[in-house]
């Protein structure tokens, strides 16, 4: 199963800016999980997250690819489907 994982933080403006887009993507039936790097620093460390927002595409719980920063709906859907 494919899913998107957003590594985020409450204080991160770009993280907050991407959330509405990911909410729309979630409404398309795509699984989107959010990980707050302040609340779960171990998971962020294990995923080698250096900057936020980081969005990871995972399939069967294995990372396929990632991007850092805010992206448009179309860019994220292309990222997910490619």
């Amino acid at each position: 199963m494919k899913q998107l994982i957003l590594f985020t933080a409450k204080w991160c403006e770009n993280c907050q800016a991407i959330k509405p887009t990911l909410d729309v993507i979630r409404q398309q039936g795509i699984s989107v999980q959010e990980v707050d790097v302040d609340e779960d620093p171990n998971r962020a460390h294990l995923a080698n997250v250096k900057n936020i927002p980081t969005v990871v595409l995972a399939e069967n719980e294995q990372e396929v690819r990632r991007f850092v920063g805010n992206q448009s709906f179309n860019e994220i859907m292309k990222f997910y489907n490619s």
Side-chain angles (χ1 to χ4, degrees), residues 2 18 20 27-28 37-42 44-45 49 54 56 65 68 71 78:
K2 285 167 65 170
I18 197 173
Q27 292 170 2
Q28 304 289 318
V37 299
D38 292 326
E39 293 175 9
D40 196 349
N42 189 50
H45 175 73
V49 172
T54 294
V56 173
R65 61 186 159 274
V68 176
Q71 301 285 326
K78 187 182 200 181

Side-chain angles (χ1 to χ4, degrees), residues 31-76:
S31 175
V32 179
Q33 181 181 28
E34 291 184 25
V35 177
D36 187 305
V37 299
D38 292 326
E39 293 175 9
D40 196 349
N42 189 50
R43 183 148 183 220
H45 175 73
L46 291 172
N48 201 29
V49 172
K50 304 290 185 200
N51 297 296
I52 54 173
T54 294
V55 177
V56 173
L57 173 63
E59 190 163 6
N60 300 319
E61 300 187 25
Q62 297 295 317
E63 180 175 339
V64 177
R65 61 186 159 274
R66 67 175 61 197
F67 70 83
V68 176
N70 198 352
Q71 301 285 326
S72 71
F73 172 84
N74 288 337
E75 290 167 327
I76 297 172

